[in-house]
C-alpha cells in the first residue's frame, strides 16, 4: 500500500519492555517486503540493527524513543514512535510477606506488606476477605537504594471479625511466565481477652521467714 507503507501498530506494541542485556524487537513492519527501512533515535540519528520484514528491527537498544523511515516514490514516510524501557529483573521472583501482627481486635487497623526484590516491574494482586467489598487501601513504594525492591502495603481500617482469613499476594513477572505467591493468616477477635489460671488457693497462709511462690498462668 503506497499510501501506508508501514503496517499500523497497536498501542501495546509501541511500549517495549525489555530486561537488561536482552535483545528487543522494534516492530515497524512494511506492507512492501522490498522496502528499504532505516531506524532513527530521538536525536534523528541512524541506528544500525538487523531488519526482518516480518518482525522489525532486532538488536540491543538503549532506552529511549525510536522511529522507522522509508521512501515511497520519493516521499518519506515515518512509522509510529516506539519507546523502549529497560528494566532490572531476575528470572525468579523473590517475594516476602509480613504482617505487623496476626491477631487483632475489632476496630484496629490491619497492615500487611508484600515485598518484591530485585525486580523493577511486576504485576501484583492481593486476595483477602474484604476484597469483594473493596475494603482496603494499597500503596506502592519503589525503593532503588541500596537495592531494588517494590514494597506493596495493604491497609484495612476499622477491622471486623469478617476480616479474619488468609491475606495473599501474588506477583507475576513482567516479561516471563513466572509467578510467586505468599500468604499470612490474620485473626480478628470481637474483643480482647485475658485468661488467668492461678495455681494457689483464694486464701494462703505463710509462716514468718517462709519463702513461698505464687504462680499464675496467663493466656
Amino acid at each position: 500500500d503506497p499510501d501506508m507503507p508501514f503496517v499500523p501498530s497497536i498501542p501495546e506494541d509501541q511500549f517495549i519492555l525489555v530486561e537488561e542485556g536482552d535483545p528487543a524487537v522494534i516492530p515497524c513492519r512494511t506492507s512492501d517486503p522490498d522496502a528499504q527501512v532505516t531506524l532513527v533515535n530521538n536525536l534523528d540519528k541512524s541506528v544500525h540493527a538487523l531488519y526482518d520484514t516480518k518482525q522489525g528491527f532486532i538488536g540491543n537498544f538503549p532506552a529511549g524513543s525510536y522511529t522507522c523511515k522509508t521512501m515511497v516514490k520519493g516521499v518519506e514516510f515515518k512509522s509510529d514512535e516506539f519507546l523502549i524501557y529497560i528494566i532490572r529483573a531476575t528470572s525468579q521472583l523473590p517475594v516476602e510477606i509480613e504482617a505487623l501482627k496476626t491477631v487483632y481486635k475489632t476496630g484496629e487497623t490491619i497492615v500487611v506488606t508484600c515485598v518484591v526484590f530485585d525486580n523493577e516491574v511486576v504485576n501484583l494482586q492481593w486476595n483477602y476477605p474484604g476484597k469483594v467489598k473493596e475494603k482496603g487501601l494499597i500503596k506502592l513504594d519503589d525503593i532503588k537504594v541500596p537495592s531494588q525492591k517494590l514494597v506493596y502495603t495493604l491497609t484495612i481500617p476499622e477491622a471486623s471479625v469478617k476480616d479474619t482469613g488468609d491475606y495473599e499476594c501474588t506477583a507475576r513477572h513482567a516479561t516471563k511466565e513466572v509467578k510467586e505467591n505468599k500468604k499470612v493468616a490474620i485473626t480478628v477477635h470481637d474483643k480482647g481477652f485475658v485468661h488467668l489460671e492461678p495455681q494457689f488457693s483464694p486464701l494462703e497462709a505463710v509462716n514468718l521467714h517462709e519463702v513461698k511462690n505464687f504462680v499464675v498462668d496467663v493466656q
Side-chain angles (χ1 to χ4, degrees), residues 90-97 113-127 131 140 149-152 167-183:
T90 58
S91 57
Q92 299 301 316
L93 272 180
V95 178
E96 288 183 5
I97 193 168
T113 300
C114 195
V115 184
V116 183
F117 298 91
D118 303 325
N119 284 268
E120 202 170 7
V121 180
V122 298
N123 177 18
L124 189 130
Q125 292 181 326
W126 287 97
N127 278 307
K131 184 176 180 179
L140 169 61
K149 61 181 179 180
L150 299 172
V151 181
Y152 296 84
Y167 285 69
E168 182 180 48
C169 66
T170 302
R172 287 180 170 80
H173 203 286
T175 59
K176 294 182 174 67
E177 292 297 320
V178 178
K179 72 174 183 177
E180 185 70 31
N181 68 294
K182 293 290 175 70
K183 67 180 177 180

